[in-house]
């Protein structure tokens, strides 16, 4: 992913839509929260790196990713959680 925010944004959006497919209809407005999707992409990459290293770190980043997913879902749906 490197330092390319556009790639990180796309990765974050794609990852969220894979984990929460019911949000696909909201993908066209994801750019409104580009920084948040980049943050989510960074957290996902870190979670994936830690999965091989430490159970504690993995749990920490899984929790972080889940919280970010909830936050992004709230943004995309205007707070209407499914």
């Amino acid at each position: 992913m490197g330092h390319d925010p556009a790639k990180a944004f796309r990765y974050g959006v794609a990852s969220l839509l894979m984990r929460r497919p019911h949000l696909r209809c909201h993908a066209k407005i994801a750019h409104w929260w580009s920084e948040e999707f980049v943050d989510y992409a960074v957290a996902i990459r870190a979670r994936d790196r830690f999965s091989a290293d430490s159970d504690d770190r993995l749990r920490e980043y899984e929790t972080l990713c889940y919280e970010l997913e909830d936050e992004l879902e709230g943004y995309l749906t205007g707070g209407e959680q499914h």
Side-chain angles (χ1 to χ4, degrees):
M1 196 161 46
H3 296 286
D4 186 346
K7 284 184 181 178
F9 168 76
R10 288 191 301 271
Y11 184 78
V13 171
S15 296
L16 181 69
L17 298 181
M18 291 283 292
R19 290 181 57 91
R20 300 195 181 187
H22 63 277
L23 296 176
R24 290 180 181 159
C25 62
H26 300 287
K28 62 186 170 285
I29 62 170
H31 65 277
W32 292 350
W33 300 282
S34 59
E35 288 182 32
E36 288 82 357
F37 276 101
V38 169
D39 291 345
Y40 176 59
V42 170
I44 291 169
R45 293 286 191 181
R47 180 199 63 199
D48 292 347
R49 276 194 317 272
F50 292 132
S51 66
D53 295 338
S54 163
D55 286 340
D56 291 336
R57 281 294 250 223
L58 176 59
R59 278 192 294 277
E60 176 185 343
Y61 274 86
E62 288 208 351
T63 299
L64 175 62
C65 289
Y66 185 77
E67 290 170 356
L68 288 168
E69 289 166 6
D70 283 346
E71 184 177 336
L72 291 166
E73 181 169 345
Y75 293 155
L76 292 173
T77 63
E80 298 176 18
Q81 300 260 337
H82 292 87

